[in-house]
Amino acid sequence: MAEVQIVIFQLMNEVYGIDIAQVHEVIRYQEVNKVPELPDFIEGIVNLRNKVLPVIDLNKKFKLGGIEVNDNTKIIVTSINGQQIGFKVDNVDEVMRFSDEQIESATHMFQAMGAKNYIKGIAKNEEQLITLLDFHKVLDEQEIKEIKQENIG
């Protein structure tokens, strides 16, 4: 029985997860520098060890609204097509292990309802259902090109 480690995080009091293999690191939220004329969900840029890191607000990207930044706000750093990108989330809770039997594929279920292909599955434990995301599919190719062309990453 194979196991996968999932980084559990929150957006608007809902629980989400991402395969730990897609996570480079989790950092405390730091004030971003705004960049003009970018899509609303691109919050801006931060300096991460002398590298420019674009920060995507997942609440705005998913049209969930937004909450005030607080001590729990984090940035999950990942790499998409060689581009380091940070995803702002409301809180990162923990890393949990799930067996294959605890994860149900959501591909057919959600795509039939018109959802994007970044919903990878649903992890189930005794306490909750956790929507699993694929950070590599949250941004489409055009959005990644825009980030690279604007030299914000």
Side-chain angles (χ1 to χ4, degrees), residues 71-87:
D71 291 341
N72 293 325
T73 307
K74 302 288 188 294
I75 297 173
I76 299 175
V77 180
T78 190
S79 182
I80 302 173
N81 297 338
Q83 170 74 49
Q84 272 205 326
I85 295 177
F87 289 97

Side-chain angles (χ1 to χ4, degrees), residues 1-9 16-24 76 94-100 102-103 120 123 130-133:
M1 167 180 353
E3 274 191 344
V4 63
Q5 292 185 64
I6 304 292
V7 176
I8 307 298
F9 62 94
Y16 294 86
I18 184 77
D19 188 325
I20 200 167
Q22 289 189 357
V23 177
H24 287 264
I76 299 175
E94 62 185 313
V95 176
M96 296 177 70
R97 294 178 186 273
F98 289 92
S99 68
D100 289 340
Q102 291 176 289
I103 298 175
K120 193 172 184 177
I130 301 164
T131 303
L132 301 179
L133 303 179

Side-chain angles (χ1 to χ4, degrees), residues 25-134:
E25 63 184 303
V26 177
I27 61 173
R28 289 184 185 274
Y29 182 81
Q30 51 188 288
E31 204 57 44
V32 300
N33 294 314
K34 303 290 185 192
V35 179
E37 298 187 37
L38 291 178
D40 184 45
F41 62 86
I42 301 178
E43 184 140 319
I45 56 175
V46 296
N47 181 353
L48 182 63
R49 290 184 290 285
N50 291 322
K51 287 193 172 187
V52 175
L53 179 74
V55 177
I56 308 301
D57 184 329
L58 276 183
N59 281 317
K60 288 181 182 174
K61 175 66 178 158
F62 295 157
K63 298 177 177 49
L64 298 175
I67 66 166
E68 290 291 318
V69 170
N70 60 47
D71 291 341
N72 293 325
T73 307
K74 302 288 188 294
I75 297 173
I76 299 175
V77 180
T78 190
S79 182
I80 302 173
N81 297 338
Q83 170 74 49
Q84 272 205 326
I85 295 177
F87 289 97
K88 178 181 142 191
V89 299
D90 300 344
N91 193 11
V92 174
D93 296 325
E94 62 185 313
V95 176
M96 296 177 70
R97 294 178 186 273
F98 289 92
S99 68
D100 289 340
E101 289 79 29
Q102 291 176 289
I103 298 175
E104 187 172 321
S105 173
T107 307
H108 303 298
M109 178 179 19
F110 287 112
Q111 285 180 349
M113 292 186 253
K116 303 287 185 183
N117 62 353
Y118 53 74
I119 298 176
K120 193 172 184 177
I122 304 296
K124 304 168 282 196
N125 65 20
E126 301 83 36
E127 301 147 19
Q128 59 195 348
L129 297 175
I130 301 164
T131 303
L132 301 179
L133 303 179
D134 183 345

